Amino acid sequence: TTTILLEGPYGNHFPLWSYESVLLIAGGTGIAAAVPYIQDHIARSSIESDTIPSKSNSTTTQTKDMHLIWVTRQEAFAQQVAGRELAPALARDDFRGSFYCTSSLTPTPARSGDDDESGTDTDRRSSRDYLWKGDTGNIDIIPGRPHLESLVLDHAHEAQLSESSAVVLVCGPSALADEARAAVHLAMRRGYRRIRYVEE
């Protein structure tokens, strides 16, 4: 006789489809929480493209722009996931991926004006500097760690310019979540009121 103990499922499925601009931030294995949302976006977009008038709003999406920021150690792992699970999304015009690889041998210069001497934050380089061209499309693979405050503020600013609702969903280590939460709070204090923070 074998005894099996099962736990779960965990978490809730947040309605990202009700927001026009989506920023997903994943750290390490947190990509496992982001991928289902990306796949759901693709499925809802394909339903929306069908000209079937009977489809309800609960099955379609309002999302027009989705950006995934994934912080992982190994570049090979990022390329592997990009070539499999993320391949359909990377071929789309409404999705982009920025992968930050912390074990890269390429040194990461400090941002101008930063007092952080550790050199862990990347500067705002052109995506052409670190473009990896795969079979499914282009992604940014950047050495080092992202400067989440700048990325979140840029996301909020772009959403405000287009008068779009925005959401930032985070799944990863607590330090990553804390940094993203603080950045969203800063964006709200600067007047970007139509942004929402969700922690998976």
Side-chain angles (χ1 to χ4, degrees), residues 128-159:
R128 283 180 253 105
D129 295 341
Y130 300 101
L131 202 61
W132 173 73
K133 198 170 191 70
D135 296 334
T136 56
N138 296 329
I139 58 172
D140 298 334
I141 296 188
I142 306 165
R145 299 182 183 276
H147 190 266
L148 288 183
E149 182 179 294
S150 297
L151 292 167
V152 169
L153 289 175
D154 287 348
H155 175 72
H157 181 66
E158 289 172 12

Side-chain angles (χ1 to χ4, degrees), residues 144-192:
R145 299 182 183 276
H147 190 266
L148 288 183
E149 182 179 294
S150 297
L151 292 167
V152 169
L153 289 175
D154 287 348
H155 175 72
H157 181 66
E158 289 172 12
Q160 188 180 50
L161 287 177
S162 61
E163 298 183 348
S164 301
S165 57
V167 63
V168 176
L169 184 137
V170 181
C171 184
S174 57
L176 182 81
D178 290 344
E179 188 179 351
R181 187 185 313 106
V184 171
H185 181 243
L186 178 61
M188 294 177 76
R189 283 172 44 204
R190 291 188 178 179
Y192 305 124

Side-chain angles (χ1 to χ4, degrees), residues 40-163:
D40 181 69
H41 169 65
I42 294 171
R44 288 174 181 274
S45 298
S46 64
I47 290 172
E48 195 170 81
S49 65
D50 295 339
T51 55
I52 303 173
S54 62
K55 297 294 181 186
S56 67
N57 288 336
S58 63
T59 59
T60 59
T61 181
Q62 295 181 34
T63 303
K64 298 172 184 169
D65 174 57
M66 184 175 279
H67 183 192
L68 168 67
I69 296 169
W70 181 23
V71 186
T72 184
R73 290 184 181 176
Q74 302 296 329
E75 182 175 331
F77 181 41
Q79 292 180 357
Q80 185 180 39
V81 173
R84 288 191 325 214
E85 290 83 359
L86 296 178
L90 290 168
R92 298 172 59 95
D93 293 333
D94 62 352
F95 180 87
R96 58 195 163 116
S98 300
F99 298 169
Y100 290 80
C101 297
T102 58
S103 67
S104 174
L105 297 177
T106 306
T108 303
R111 288 167 42 87
S112 58
D114 270 355
D115 294 327
D116 184 7
E117 296 176 1
S118 64
T120 57
D121 290 333
T122 61
D123 62 355
R124 302 171 102 188
R125 283 165 247 167
S126 168
S127 61
R128 283 180 253 105
D129 295 341
Y130 300 101
L131 202 61
W132 173 73
K133 198 170 191 70
D135 296 334
T136 56
N138 296 329
I139 58 172
D140 298 334
I141 296 188
I142 306 165
R145 299 182 183 276
H147 190 266
L148 288 183
E149 182 179 294
S150 297
L151 292 167
V152 169
L153 289 175
D154 287 348
H155 175 72
H157 181 66
E158 289 172 12
Q160 188 180 50
L161 287 177
S162 61
E163 298 183 348

